[in-house]
Amino acid sequence: MSEPKLNLVGGDWVAGDTAPNINPSDTSDIVGHYARASAAQTQDAIDAAKAAFPAWSRSTPLERHAVLRAAADEILARKDELGRLLSREEGKTLAEGVGETVRAAQIFDFFAGEALRLTGEVLPSIRPGVGVEITREPVGVVGVITPWNFPIAIPAWKLAPALCYGNTVVFKPADLVPGCGWALVDILHRAGLPEGVVNLVMGRGSVVGQTIVDSPDVSALTFTGSVPTGAVLAAKSAELMRKVQLEMGGKNPFVVLADADLDVAVDCVINGAFFSTGQRCTASSRIIVEDAVHDAFLDKMTARMADLRVGDALAPDTQIGPVVDESQLAQNEKYIEIGKAEGARLVAGGNRVSRETEGYFQMPALFADCTNQMRIAREEIFGPVASVIAVRDYDEALAVANDTDFGLSAGIATTSLKHATHFKRNAEAGMVMVNLPTAGVDFHVPFGGRKASSHGPREQGRYAAEFFTTVKTAYTLA
């Protein structure tokens, strides 16, 4: 067995009980063994972050820039190695794994620049002889809890702005995929961060996550994960009067109008619904199609799906990798049975498939004859399962698209400028795509949704400052 990867607390690598990190493409392949922090070690990490905050919060922009830029450079230089690690532990195809790693580097590069662009305002007061200054300051210790589906990009888009604006961090990656989180913290540690500025506490949510959430010394909490967990975190954060940022579920619609280029529409749905094995909060799971092109669209979809290659994430010809673990695969299968019982017609896929290695392989599933009231159209499945809903016209399509508890991403395929413009204004979602998949966003602009999908300030881009800083207004009598 290789040496276990340890937690980082106050600048020291700390041992603990370990757990294997298993490759979902080949369950005999152990990616590594990773320490699980105890509640006491997690509290030590919080204490270390609190102790490091006064000095780091007053560090110069150039100091922060240097660390973030060094991290960006190393991530990019090691993109093939880190992308392979990501694909082994999470199951994305190698191309997707490398692509996500490059994005993480771009995020650190962006916030390295932002560290040099910190701004404020100087305004005249309404009172004679008084000056007013408006500045942003770091909030303190930030708890960072990330999910398993983007094991390097989501940690990057939380850690980079937290550090850029002068906060210290206690970081808990998903217990299922600790490898990329460990590698990222190791890079930051060697990039020159002072002791205690970033602390890594891998382990179970019920132990590590709970300790972070319960601590009054955590000034802000950023979380990506499920709606039920997010609701618990929001309630506890309200009790402690701390800032909270939640990115949660989605049941994202993709509308196909009669005037759409169907090849474009099919490309968007195949990508948005099934790539990354459908394990994206922005995945298209409700495909809303006008009656006039419904049958033609289904024919094109099923033809394309028949050619999709599901297999080992590292194989060069694989288009869709495995489901992340047995539990998620069982959930996907449960919803497929629910869909059948509700009267939906399974027109393609949904079955487990065997490959050369033992893994969690499943063909993407497409349902037809669905209504928007079916559970498969209302509840997030988080797998490669999509439901086609037929509608009469654009007005009904928009109404169905908005009839959901979620509001993260919404897409439309159309050649009509009128409908595209109206949809962008009236879709009840934080992000809207026209002739593009619902999944796939830029790193320099805001990410987030509304309704049950998101709570609190947006992530990414310059909007990240809204969460990771607090505003101060100062008055001076000349």
Side-chain angles (χ1 to χ4, degrees):
M1 185 178 79
S2 61
E3 287 294 317
K5 303 296 187 183
L6 307 182
N7 286 300
L8 183 68
V9 178
D12 295 323
W13 294 105
V14 179
D17 295 337
T18 63
N21 185 0
I22 298 171
N23 180 350
S25 292
D26 178 1
T27 56
S28 68
D29 175 29
I30 305 301
V31 179
H33 288 80
Y34 291 80
R36 281 177 164 168
S38 65
Q41 288 172 331
T42 306
Q43 185 57 55
D44 289 343
I46 295 169
D47 294 342
K50 185 177 180 180
F53 177 71
W56 181 248
S57 65
R58 289 166 176 78
S59 60
T60 67
L62 191 58
E63 288 177 89
R64 300 179 204 170
H65 166 84
V67 169
L68 297 173
R69 184 55 195 264
D73 289 345
E74 181 169 345
I75 294 166
L76 192 59
R78 295 172 59 192
K79 68 181 188 299
D80 293 327
E81 171 203 345
L82 294 172
R84 186 178 181 86
L85 169 64
L86 192 159
S87 296
R88 281 180 71 201
E89 73 170 351
E90 193 272 345
K92 283 187 174 74
T93 65
L94 188 55
E96 290 171 330
V98 172
E100 182 179 330
T101 303
V102 170
R103 178 175 174 178
Q106 292 167 334
I107 291 166
F108 273 95
D109 182 59
F110 176 85
F111 283 105
E114 286 297 282
L116 299 175
R117 291 190 288 266
L118 301 176
T119 61
E121 297 178 75
V122 177
L123 290 79
S125 170
I126 59 172
R127 294 170 287 174
V130 176
V132 182
E133 300 166 70
I134 303 170
T135 55
R136 288 187 175 273
E137 298 183 353
V139 295
V141 177
V142 178
V144 174
I145 301 176
T146 59
W148 51 259
N149 61 321
F150 283 88
I152 196 166
I154 292 180
W157 80 53
K158 295 179 187 290
L159 291 173
L163 298 172
C164 166
Y165 297 116
N167 301 284
T168 55
V169 173
V170 179
F171 168 40
K172 180 207 170 304
D175 194 27
L176 193 59
V177 289
C180 287
W182 187 92
L184 191 54
V185 169
D186 176 58
I187 289 169
L188 286 167
H189 181 59
R190 289 184 291 97
L193 275 181
E195 294 180 358
V197 173
V198 168
N199 302 271
L200 173 68
V201 278
M202 302 175 288
R204 296 188 182 279
S206 59
V207 177
V208 176
Q210 194 67 54
T211 304
I212 294 171
V213 171
D214 288 344
S215 175
D217 290 327
V218 174
S219 303
L221 181 64
T222 176
F223 165 82
T224 300
S226 71
V227 174
T229 302
V232 172
L233 270 56
K236 185 64 180 181
S237 295
E239 179 185 323
L240 295 173
M241 300 293 286
R242 69 162 163 237
K243 297 184 80 169
V244 64
Q245 179 186 63
L246 308 173
E247 289 297 340
M248 298 170 286
K251 200 66 184 173
N252 307 294
F254 189 87
V255 172
V256 181
L257 295 185
D259 61 34
D261 180 325
L262 289 188
D263 290 330
V264 170
V266 169
D267 285 344
C268 289
V269 173
I270 292 290
N271 181 315
F274 303 137
F275 284 7
S276 297
T277 323
Q279 296 172 155
R280 299 183 282 192
C281 55
T282 51
S284 310
S285 53
R286 295 182 299 136
I287 317 304
I288 302 164
V289 185
E290 272 198 271
D291 284 331
V293 292
H294 176 271
D295 291 351
F297 173 79
L298 273 185
D299 288 344
K300 284 181 173 286
M301 277 293 298
T302 53
R304 280 286 301 278
M305 291 177 69
D307 294 332
L308 290 175
R309 298 183 298 277
V310 175
D312 190 314
L314 300 179
D317 63 341
T318 293
Q319 293 174 292
I320 298 172
V323 177
V324 71
D325 69 356
E326 176 61 35
S327 175
Q328 183 61 51
L329 180 51
Q331 177 167 299
N332 297 348
E333 292 177 322
K334 180 189 78 172
Y335 273 101
I336 288 170
E337 293 307 311
I338 288 171
K340 292 176 181 177
E342 289 180 312
R345 177 167 55 96
L346 185 63
V347 296
N351 54 299
R352 291 194 189 213
V353 289
S354 297
R355 294 296 182 258
E356 291 183 4
T357 55
E358 191 71 28
Y360 308 114
F361 303 108
Q362 181 182 27
M363 296 302 296
L366 185 68
F367 280 102
D369 301 340
C370 301
T371 73
N372 202 46
Q373 301 311 311
M374 291 178 175
R375 287 182 62 188
I376 57 170
R378 311 255 0 137
E379 301 172 12
E380 186 176 40
I381 300 171
F382 218 67
V385 183
S387 305
V388 177
I389 302 168
V391 293
R392 296 182 303 275
D393 53 24
Y394 170 76
D395 289 337
E396 186 181 5
L398 178 63
V400 170
N402 288 336
D403 180 16
T404 175
D405 293 333
F406 299 100
L408 184 55
S409 184
I412 188 170
T414 181
T415 55
S416 165
L417 179 60
K418 172 186 173 182
H419 286 138
T421 302
H422 189 272
F423 189 80
K424 286 188 288 184
R425 175 62 184 85
N426 292 281
E428 295 173 359
M431 299 175 289
V432 179
M433 313 294 182
V434 178
N435 296 321
L436 289 166
T438 56
V441 297
D442 291 353
F443 63 86
H444 69 303
V445 292
F447 177 96
R450 57 177 73 175
K451 302 181 185 178
S453 289
S454 302
H455 178 77
R458 289 288 192 262
E459 297 193 283
Q460 299 200 64
R462 305 198 79 173
Y463 278 73
E466 297 298 324
F467 177 73
F468 289 102
T469 65
T470 186
V471 175
K472 177 180 282 184
T473 306
Y475 297 84
T476 303
L477 178 62

